[in-house]
Amino acid sequence: MMKSCLGLVVLLTFVAAGDVEDKFVEDGVVSDVLTVAPSALLKATFTEGNEANLGNTLQVSKTSTEPSVQYADAVVGQKYTIAMVDPDAPSRENPRAAQWNHWLVTNVEGEDLKSDNKVDGKVLMKYNGPSPPAKSGPHRYVLIVYKQPRTINSRVSRNRARFDIGAFAKKNKLGNPVAGNFFFAETE
């Protein structure tokens, strides 16, 4: 019985990882933001219990405050970087300001990331909720977690436009993202 339960847990974890990778590819996050999809899901919960769920649509007004996040596989004693970018700024048809840097925090402790709390780390870019221009269509808001090889002492431009999370990850030797999620939001 115990072996059956363990096998089911492993199978469900594998299916969920495949779902994350598939959705990142299907909705163009791999290519427009990343070169490799994360394999694990980052749980991101906004006000009133609104959760990002691999491409669901959330109201702009419900995502204006920093979400609580949880990465179930975070390792105690390990540090992580969390980012949220919009690859569709000012619109998906004309992303001349992409990637818009909505949030960037380094040196997040694994134990904090594991516990579904507000993020505590070195804030390089304060959280700025979605604010897509009216009639610009749905925007993807991509949340990404990287495992850090060491404590990061880095800076980013104060300008949110034309940020490149891939270049930031490369510069800081972060490797591929370990977890992620995304949602759509639109101002009509």
Side-chain angles (χ1 to χ4, degrees):
M1 176 69 174
M2 185 65 149
K3 282 186 178 180
S4 296
C5 289
L6 183 59
L8 182 59
V9 169
V10 170
L11 179 62
L12 289 174
T13 302
F14 178 74
V15 170
D19 289 347
V20 173
E21 293 167 349
D22 290 348
K23 287 297 287 176
F24 267 66
V25 170
E26 180 183 313
D27 283 311
V29 176
V30 169
S31 76
D32 292 346
V33 179
L34 303 168
T35 56
V36 176
S39 58
L41 183 67
L42 174 68
K43 180 180 174 189
T45 308
F46 294 92
T47 54
E48 299 176 24
N50 292 289
E51 284 190 28
N53 190 13
L54 296 175
N56 62 327
T57 299
L58 296 176
Q59 292 178 2
V60 170
S61 63
K62 304 291 185 188
T63 58
S64 62
T65 58
E66 180 182 308
S68 62
V69 295
Q70 181 182 28
Y71 170 41
D73 296 332
V75 176
V76 174
Q78 176 68 52
K79 292 188 189 305
Y80 296 86
T81 293
I82 298 175
M84 185 171 103
V85 297
D86 173 3
D88 304 321
S91 70
R92 197 160 182 179
E93 290 74 33
N94 184 17
R96 68 182 181 276
Q99 301 162 15
W100 193 268
N101 186 350
H102 280 271
W103 193 30
L104 184 61
V105 185
T106 61
N107 305 326
V108 177
E109 295 290 342
E111 50 268 34
D112 294 340
L113 194 51
K114 201 171 185 71
S115 65
D116 196 18
N117 286 320
K118 293 287 184 188
V119 171
D120 185 24
K122 173 133 175 90
V123 177
L124 299 183
M125 186 63 73
K126 187 176 175 181
Y127 182 82
N128 175 248
S131 54
K135 301 189 186 327
S136 65
H139 287 231
R140 296 164 293 172
Y141 294 89
V142 182
L143 293 132
I144 310 157
V145 175
Y146 290 93
K147 186 176 179 180
Q148 296 179 195
R150 63 186 171 1
T151 298
I152 291 177
N153 186 14
S154 191
R155 296 178 151 207
V156 294
S157 168
R158 288 187 168 281
N159 184 1
R160 292 179 184 270
R162 291 186 283 291
F163 178 69
D164 184 339
I165 189 61
F168 179 84
K170 185 175 182 178
K171 174 185 168 196
N172 290 285
K173 299 177 175 58
L174 299 179
N176 293 326
V178 294
N181 206 334
F182 68 99
F183 63 94
F184 287 89
E186 179 175 10
T187 302
E188 304 226 352

PDB file of all heavy atoms in Angstrom, residues 2 39 46 70 113 175:
ATOM      1  N   MET A   2       1.900   1.270   0.839  1.00  0.00           N
ATOM      2  CA  MET A   2       2.780   2.426   0.938  1.00  0.00           C
ATOM      3  C   MET A   2       3.494   2.673  -0.388  1.00  0.00           C
ATOM      4  O   MET A   2       3.622   3.806  -0.821  1.00  0.00           O
ATOM      5  CB  MET A   2       3.800   2.204   2.065  1.00  0.00           C
ATOM      6  CG  MET A   2       4.660   3.398   2.309  1.00  0.00           C
ATOM      7  SD  MET A   2       3.630   4.743   2.902  1.00  0.00           S
ATOM      8  CE  MET A   2       4.777   5.555   3.925  1.00  0.00           C
ATOM      9  N   SER A  39      10.597  23.489 -14.476  1.00  0.00           N
ATOM     10  CA  SER A  39       9.893  22.211 -14.375  1.00  0.00           C
ATOM     11  C   SER A  39       8.897  22.181 -13.219  1.00  0.00           C
ATOM     12  O   SER A  39       8.003  21.353 -13.209  1.00  0.00           O
ATOM     13  CB  SER A  39      10.892  21.064 -14.230  1.00  0.00           C
ATOM     14  OG  SER A  39      11.698  21.269 -13.092  1.00  0.00           O
ATOM     15  N   PHE A  46      -2.576  36.099  -4.757  1.00  0.00           N
ATOM     16  CA  PHE A  46      -2.822  37.529  -4.607  1.00  0.00           C
ATOM     17  C   PHE A  46      -3.975  37.760  -3.622  1.00  0.00           C
ATOM     18  O   PHE A  46      -4.475  36.810  -3.024  1.00  0.00           O
ATOM     19  CB  PHE A  46      -3.144  38.138  -5.981  1.00  0.00           C
ATOM     20  CG  PHE A  46      -1.987  38.099  -6.934  1.00  0.00           C
ATOM     21  CD1 PHE A  46      -1.811  37.025  -7.801  1.00  0.00           C
ATOM     22  CD2 PHE A  46      -1.058  39.129  -6.962  1.00  0.00           C
ATOM     23  CE1 PHE A  46      -0.743  36.979  -8.674  1.00  0.00           C
ATOM     24  CE2 PHE A  46       0.017  39.096  -7.835  1.00  0.00           C
ATOM     25  CZ  PHE A  46       0.174  38.017  -8.693  1.00  0.00           C
ATOM     26  N   GLN A  70       5.054  30.437  -3.032  1.00  0.00           N
ATOM     27  CA  GLN A  70       5.546  29.204  -2.429  1.00  0.00           C
ATOM     28  C   GLN A  70       6.137  28.306  -3.512  1.00  0.00           C
ATOM     29  O   GLN A  70       5.491  28.041  -4.524  1.00  0.00           O
ATOM     30  CB  GLN A  70       4.427  28.465  -1.715  1.00  0.00           C
ATOM     31  CG  GLN A  70       4.892  27.184  -1.060  1.00  0.00           C
ATOM     32  CD  GLN A  70       3.747  26.431  -0.391  1.00  0.00           C
ATOM     33  OE1 GLN A  70       2.599  26.537  -0.790  1.00  0.00           O
ATOM     34  NE2 GLN A  70       4.063  25.669   0.632  1.00  0.00           N
ATOM     35  N   LEU A 113      10.657  30.721   1.192  1.00  0.00           N
ATOM     36  CA  LEU A 113      10.014  30.402  -0.082  1.00  0.00           C
ATOM     37  C   LEU A 113       9.172  29.122   0.021  1.00  0.00           C
ATOM     38  O   LEU A 113       8.159  28.977  -0.643  1.00  0.00           O
ATOM     39  CB  LEU A 113      11.080  30.257  -1.163  1.00  0.00           C
ATOM     40  CG  LEU A 113      10.637  30.239  -2.613  1.00  0.00           C
ATOM     41  CD1 LEU A 113       9.738  31.410  -2.946  1.00  0.00           C
ATOM     42  CD2 LEU A 113      11.848  30.223  -3.519  1.00  0.00           C
ATOM     43  N   GLY A 175      21.727  30.046 -13.862  1.00  0.00           N
ATOM     44  CA  GLY A 175      21.325  28.838 -14.577  1.00  0.00           C
ATOM     45  C   GLY A 175      19.893  28.947 -15.063  1.00  0.00           C
ATOM     46  O   GLY A 175      19.370  30.050 -15.287  1.00  0.00           O
TER      47      GLY A 175
END
